[in-house]
Amino acid sequence: MTLSGEELAEDAVRDVAPPSRLRVVTRRFFASTQGRIGFAVLALMFLLAFAGPLVTPWSYTDKDFTAFMQPPSATHWFGTLQTGSDVFAVTLRGMQKSLVVGLLAALVSTALAALVGAFAGYFSGWTDRWLSWVTDLLLVLPAFLILAIMSPLFGAGEWVLFVVMLALFLWMVTSKIVRGMTISLKQREYIQAARFMGVPPVRIIARHVLPNLSSLLIVDATLNVSAAILTETSLSYFGFGIQPPDVSFGTLIADGSRTAVYAPWTFWFVAGLLVVTVLAVNLVGDALRDAFDPGARGRR
């Protein structure tokens, strides 16, 4: 089959066309050792958390009244608690809850930071002053104390409210960075041209400002996952986060710390999984930052 000159030209252009930014970032990410390790470990943690309960005969609500505080065995792979609960089952349930809380809180906080920072930087004037005042106010408020006071509202089944409240105290610093970058971006020629053409400000922010901040927002969302997980763990440890009968990393560590000396399986399995999960998230975040900005590693 003979190709026409126009088809040959199109094939030539397609062959020399530069790869998309997503493909370049993905290649850089998986080219780094920490990116591959972090992604593999994090994927394994998610697989263990959500597929693990399918391979165990025990549920996190089940009680074995013939095995109290038993060490790991063929029947109970991670041992049992004082209540007869299977440690493997409750640990996976706690990992599920902590991962979901961390992901949702990170997404909500990053989205809030993007919107507040972009609108404050683009509109300036009273909009900037009011939004900056709210941001500064939330920065000085004692987040831990406020969440502790509101903990009675985080009863069983109300963990979504806990996620929202947690996200409200994670976005302020990123919002200030987004504001500064937006002030710089709105002076660019293509944004000035869009303004002169009468394009609505909201559309300019959505189509021109936020896409240019995508690298910052993606990295921030990734790193906020580990921050949200650790914050949730700390709050739940003191009884101010996820409430019984549900469990999370924090509640399990709080319960296991009382018996860690003479029954280490009640504490060290969940503590180890928490450390590995947070470490994997941080590795992914660092690798993403280097992939978006190759010069960042050298500067650090």
Side-chain angles (χ1 to χ4, degrees):
M1 179 179 176
T2 304
L3 296 177
S4 65
E6 184 178 348
E7 291 174 332
L8 289 173
E10 290 178 355
D11 288 343
V13 171
R14 194 159 43 242
D15 290 339
V16 300
S20 65
R21 191 185 185 201
L22 177 60
R23 187 175 301 176
V24 172
V25 170
T26 303
R27 187 184 304 127
R28 288 175 184 166
F29 175 81
F30 286 104
S32 66
T33 302
Q34 66 178 10
R36 293 194 299 270
I37 294 176
F39 180 82
V41 173
L42 192 58
L44 182 61
M45 292 297 102
F46 271 93
L47 182 64
L48 178 63
F50 293 96
L54 302 177
V55 300
T56 176
W58 300 96
S59 168
Y60 78 99
T61 57
D62 292 340
K63 302 289 190 296
D64 186 354
F65 297 109
T66 64
F68 295 104
M69 294 292 288
Q70 294 297 310
S73 63
T75 305
H76 299 282
W77 301 338
F78 283 7
T80 59
L81 300 175
Q82 290 176 322
T83 59
S85 299
D86 183 75
V87 176
F88 182 76
V90 296
T91 298
L92 296 190
R93 175 64 179 183
M95 187 188 298
Q96 288 178 9
K97 189 63 67 177
S98 293
L99 287 174
V100 170
V101 168
L103 282 173
L104 291 179
L107 290 175
V108 173
S109 65
T110 301
L112 191 58
L115 292 176
V116 173
F119 275 82
Y122 185 85
F123 288 105
S124 301
W126 282 104
T127 303
D128 183 20
R129 283 193 285 272
W130 276 104
L131 291 178
S132 296
W133 180 82
V134 172
T135 303
D136 293 336
L137 175 63
L138 289 176
L139 275 173
V140 301
L141 289 178
F144 192 95
L145 179 60
I146 293 175
L147 290 171
I149 294 173
M150 296 188 65
S151 61
L153 301 177
F154 310 144
E158 299 296 334
W159 62 271
V160 175
L161 177 61
F162 173 67
V163 170
V164 173
M165 294 302 303
L166 184 60
L168 287 178
F169 292 99
L170 291 176
W171 60 273
M172 291 82 73
V173 175
T174 303
S175 174
K176 287 184 170 293
I177 298 174
V178 171
R179 173 186 173 274
M181 296 179 70
T182 302
I183 293 175
S184 176
L185 282 173
K186 74 176 183 180
Q187 305 301 326
R188 301 286 179 87
E189 292 81 0
Y190 58 91
I191 292 184
Q192 293 289 345
R195 294 174 65 182
F196 291 143
M197 292 172 62
V199 179
V202 175
R203 184 175 298 179
I204 293 177
I205 292 174
R207 292 190 176 182
H208 298 292
V209 175
L210 293 180
N212 279 282
L213 302 176
S214 58
S215 58
L216 166 69
L217 298 176
I218 291 173
V219 174
D220 178 74
T222 305
L223 296 177
N224 273 346
V225 173
S226 60
I229 290 176
L230 290 176
T231 305
E232 179 276 322
T233 300
S234 302
L235 287 165
S236 298
Y237 179 86
F238 292 106
F240 301 135
I242 302 298
Q243 301 295 319
D246 216 338
V247 295
S248 70
F249 274 149
T251 59
L252 293 175
I253 290 176
D255 292 339
S257 62
R258 304 186 185 97
T259 56
V261 175
Y262 58 89
W265 59 87
T266 62
F267 176 81
W268 291 108
F269 284 122
V270 62
L273 287 174
L274 172 63
V275 171
V276 171
T277 301
V278 173
L279 179 61
V281 173
N282 287 337
L283 287 176
V284 170
D286 287 341
L288 276 174
R289 180 168 50 197
D290 292 339
F292 278 108
D293 184 8
R297 178 185 292 274
R299 290 195 296 272
R300 289 203 302 273

